[in-house]
Amino acid sequence: MAATAKLAALSDPTRRRVFELVLRRPSPVGRIASALPVSRPAVSQHLRVLLDAGLVTAERQGASRVYRADPRGLAELRGIRSGDMVVVRSRRGRIRLAALVTKRIRPLQVEGNTVHLVGLPLHWGFDGLTRPGHLVNTLTPFVGDPNVETPEFKAFLVDIQKA
Amino acid sequence: MAQHALDIVQSSATTFSSPSARRTLEVAKLIDVSRCIGCKACQAACLEWNDLRGPVGGFEGAYTNPPDLDDQNWCLMRFHEEEIDGALQWLILKDGCMHCADPGCLRACPAPGAVVRHSNGIVDFDQEKCIGCGYCISGCPFDIPRLRREDSRVYKCTLCSDRVAVGLAPACVKSCPTQALMFGSRGEMHAVAAERVAELRGRGYRNAAPYDPPGVSGTHVFYVLPHGDRPEAYGLPRDPAVSPVVEVWRSPVARGIGVFTMFAVLAAGILHYMRHGPLQAPGEKEENEP
């Protein structure tokens, strides 16, 4: 239901542009209006629709309201802090490991949906020179390039929860 | 400590005037944060040269590893994610001893000769004379020295005084792949810092500035900060100076008063004993009387 509302909200091209401007930089109405060939009340109207669809949030700052795309990253939504143990699950298995939460990786907005990014480095093994750990390879799909006979499993879907 | 005793200009808890028989060139290490890529080669080089190997810690959710300076880690890259002017900045700073010209550690130290300042500016610890009290840690405006539990001595970056004594650059400087770390005479390093600041300002870092705090009379390790108007964002104290507590309580006058007080209390005790004899419990007197 939320997805259709979001897609509907972005059906208007001007509204899409308003959303893109807000995505790039949290802004009050005035700044958005000055960047577009439409009037201030029109921009306000578009922002109202985006707000109702849950694509933007508004925050009071002094006399004006600043609009921004939902800034909350996955960590905040799931209550995960840096250093917490988490369980990462894919179709092929689950592993337990410690999380590093960073603002340097931001959620993507794809067709009105927020897509979060979870990075999994491969710096350890089950033997472990310092400490053993669950293998990240448990999660990866068995996809290969038959022409060069090399693995090709870099991106896949996961769920992440606090352990 | 590899340098000759003649090079010592200032020594902790000592009031001798240095013989000044040998004046060496004042050196400095310049850390240009704009060139640093956070590779930690300096951390590794420092461990290698000084033969340090701390215990393996745990992952605490940060790139800053180990989480703090300690007696086995004298050089630490600190990572900070800060919002500056609406944009996210990943600030990486090499933390370690600043080798102040007016060192708080030296002023606070009660052990004669445990902390020395050489004529080239390096502030060195002599572990053989250290008594492990930890006053240097409180006296340092940058919170650098660390106590080793096993031998009760304090340790910190030595600016590779042993390498510098034979004309080499410190190990960290040698290992830096981007030339973010530079080493040379203090005057040269100030000139290079000024050039770098000018270039950064020209490239859009309007607030680029050197960090060479006057509160400690300048340092022999100083930074070029791209966001020089907010050293706190990098984890550096804004206006560091030797604490007034150290200034007053560790001054020669205060130390003199302290020693005098010790002897005065001893003398008072002896005089009291001569007049009033040993302490007697109230019941005892009645028993001894026939």
Side-chain angles (χ1 to χ4, degrees):
Chain A
M1 76 75 222
T4 13
K6 286 175 180 172
L7 283 170
L10 291 172
S11 58
D12 181 307
T14 315
R15 200 176 302 141
R16 252 203 313 278
R17 288 220 52 207
V18 169
F19 180 62
E20 276 163 21
L21 286 168
V22 171
L23 249 187
R24 205 173 301 144
R25 189 182 177 187
S27 312
V29 184
R31 198 187 290 147
I32 302 168
S34 61
L36 293 170
V38 288
S39 67
R40 235 188 109 115
V43 172
S44 263
Q45 183 66 1
H46 284 306
L47 283 168
R48 177 89 245 156
V49 177
L50 291 170
L51 199 68
D52 288 341
L55 283 166
V56 300
T57 57
E59 180 186 73
R60 202 158 273 292
Q61 262 187 32
S64 57
R65 296 170 92 192
V66 172
Y67 292 89
R68 59 171 78 219
D70 194 341
R72 285 187 308 160
L74 187 59
E76 205 176 323
L77 292 166
R78 297 273 165 102
I80 300 170
R81 282 177 318 198
S82 238
D84 282 351
M85 292 307 281
V86 295
V87 171
V88 180
R89 202 163 43 90
S90 81
R91 231 176 147 180
R92 292 153 289 282
R94 56 199 294 157
I95 59 174
R96 191 170 177 275
L97 65 176
L100 187 155
V101 177
T102 172
K103 294 184 204 131
R104 290 172 288 118
I105 301 179
R106 295 193 205 255
L108 301 171
Q109 297 295 333
V110 181
E111 291 185 345
N113 281 311
T114 308
V115 178
H116 298 279
L117 288 163
V118 176
L120 292 161
L122 266 163
H123 290 308
W124 58 81
F126 51 83
D127 232 349
L129 272 179
T130 50
R131 271 173 224 280
H134 287 165
L135 275 185
V136 172
N137 274 338
T138 311
L139 305 174
T140 54
F142 310 118
V143 177
D145 184 322
N147 289 316
V148 294
E149 295 180 15
T150 53
E152 192 248 289
F153 40 70
K154 293 262 169 66
F156 47 93
L157 217 54
V158 293
D159 185 23
I160 178 168
Q161 298 284 353
K162 204 161 165 178
Chain B
M1 233 181 32
Q3 288 206 273
H4 203 279
L6 288 170
D7 291 322
I8 295 173
V9 167
Q10 196 185 356
S11 188
S12 61
T14 317
T15 47
F16 75 80
S17 57
S18 130
S20 303
R22 196 165 80 157
R23 279 245 164 260
T24 48
L25 183 70
E26 270 193 45
V27 296
K29 176 167 71 178
L30 172 64
I31 302 173
D32 183 357
V33 175
S34 69
R35 285 207 191 124
C36 176
I37 55 174
C39 70
K40 304 189 190 178
C42 52
Q43 260 184 249
C46 177
L47 295 178
E48 280 289 316
W49 179 257
N50 294 296
D51 230 348
L52 302 166
R53 193 75 199 198
V56 174
F59 178 63
E60 305 192 8
Y63 273 85
T64 307
N65 190 25
D68 190 22
L69 289 168
D70 62 49
D71 65 281
Q72 302 270 29
N73 284 292
W74 305 346
C75 164
L76 182 64
M77 303 304 299
R78 291 194 192 272
F79 295 79
H80 305 268
E81 290 175 11
E82 298 281 328
E83 282 246 4
I84 295 179
D85 297 333
L88 183 69
Q89 302 283 348
W90 200 27
L91 306 175
I92 308 170
L93 188 96
K94 176 180 172 336
D95 196 15
C97 177
M98 304 284 285
H99 293 274
C100 309
D102 181 18
C105 55
L106 196 151
R107 300 260 223 115
C109 177
V115 184
V116 297
R117 182 167 64 87
H118 296 290
S119 57
N120 65 5
I122 295 180
V123 177
D124 224 345
F125 284 177
D126 186 355
Q127 275 77 22
E128 286 180 14
K129 304 203 176 82
C130 172
I131 59 172
C133 67
Y135 281 14
C136 53
I137 307 174
S138 341
C140 175
F142 304 95
D143 188 29
I144 300 292
R146 293 288 183 269
L147 189 64
R148 184 174 294 174
R149 210 171 280 157
E150 289 84 2
D151 64 1
S152 294
R153 307 272 186 269
V154 272
Y155 293 87
K156 69 167 184 69
C157 161
T158 60
L159 239 192
C160 285
S161 56
D162 45 354
R163 286 176 63 100
V164 173
V166 292
L168 296 173
C172 54
V173 175
K174 181 154 192 228
S175 71
C176 182
T178 55
Q179 300 274 288
L181 298 177
M182 284 170 275
F183 183 77
S185 77
R186 203 171 181 202
E188 258 174 34
M189 292 299 100
H190 275 131
V192 173
E195 273 173 34
R196 289 295 304 150
V197 167
E199 197 195 313
L200 284 169
R201 292 207 175 170
R203 272 174 41 196
Y205 286 102
R206 290 164 294 123
N207 297 309
Y211 182 85
D212 185 10
V216 289
S217 300
T219 56
H220 290 266
V221 171
F222 42 85
Y223 297 89
V224 165
L225 301 179
H227 301 281
D229 57 329
R230 52 187 87 201
E232 322 80 62
Y234 295 91
L236 291 166
R238 188 169 196 99
D239 234 331
V242 179
S243 159
V245 177
V246 171
E247 293 258 15
V248 172
W249 283 112
R250 311 303 302 157
S251 67
V253 173
R255 289 178 199 244
I257 293 172
V259 173
F260 172 78
T261 310
M262 277 199 295
F263 283 110
V265 167
L266 184 65
I270 293 169
L271 284 170
H272 186 275
Y273 189 87
M274 281 160 53
R275 261 197 79 176
H276 299 279
L279 179 70
Q280 284 178 330
E284 252 175 48
K285 234 181 185 165
E286 292 166 38
E287 270 181 47
N288 287 340
E289 278 182 329

